[in-house]
Amino acid sequence: MNHTDPDRTERELTEALAALAGGVRAAPDAYRTARGEWLRRERRRRLVLAVLITVVFALATLIGLWVLNEAPSHPGVIFSGLASPQVGTR
């Protein structure tokens, strides 16, 4: 039975991760590159959102105009021109 001490395992894991992290070197302009990329994506997202809102608004307007154009031109029952009964006031 191979029984390892939890402190020893933790220590060895910490040492291995420290050695691995010690070998990583960031590029000098990594922050500027990452920030530029993020700003580009943010601008693109806002542009796509603005175009999408414009398209939805235009479609809703066109559909509304089409529905109004398809309405019958002759007066219906509600707008038959008959006098409505007057409601008396006290």
Side-chain angles (χ1 to χ4, degrees):
M1 181 173 164
N2 188 6
H3 189 303
T4 59
D5 185 24
D7 292 333
R8 178 180 168 218
T9 304
E10 184 178 346
R11 188 184 74 245
E12 287 177 355
L13 183 59
T14 302
E15 290 172 0
L17 290 175
L20 183 63
V24 175
R25 300 285 180 248
D29 62 344
Y31 175 75
R32 185 175 26 244
T33 304
R35 186 172 187 272
E37 201 172 303
W38 180 82
L39 288 174
R40 245 187 328 277
R41 276 187 263 144
E42 182 69 16
R43 279 192 301 268
R44 182 180 174 124
R45 184 189 65 83
R46 288 183 181 188
L47 179 65
V48 167
L49 184 63
V51 168
L52 183 64
I53 288 170
T54 303
V55 167
V56 167
F57 182 76
L59 280 175
T61 302
L62 289 174
I63 290 171
L65 289 173
W66 177 73
V67 167
L68 288 174
N69 191 38
E70 294 297 315
S73 59
H74 64 303
V77 176
I78 296 174
F79 303 109
S80 62
L82 298 174
S84 62
Q86 296 294 328
V87 177
T89 59
R90 291 186 195 187

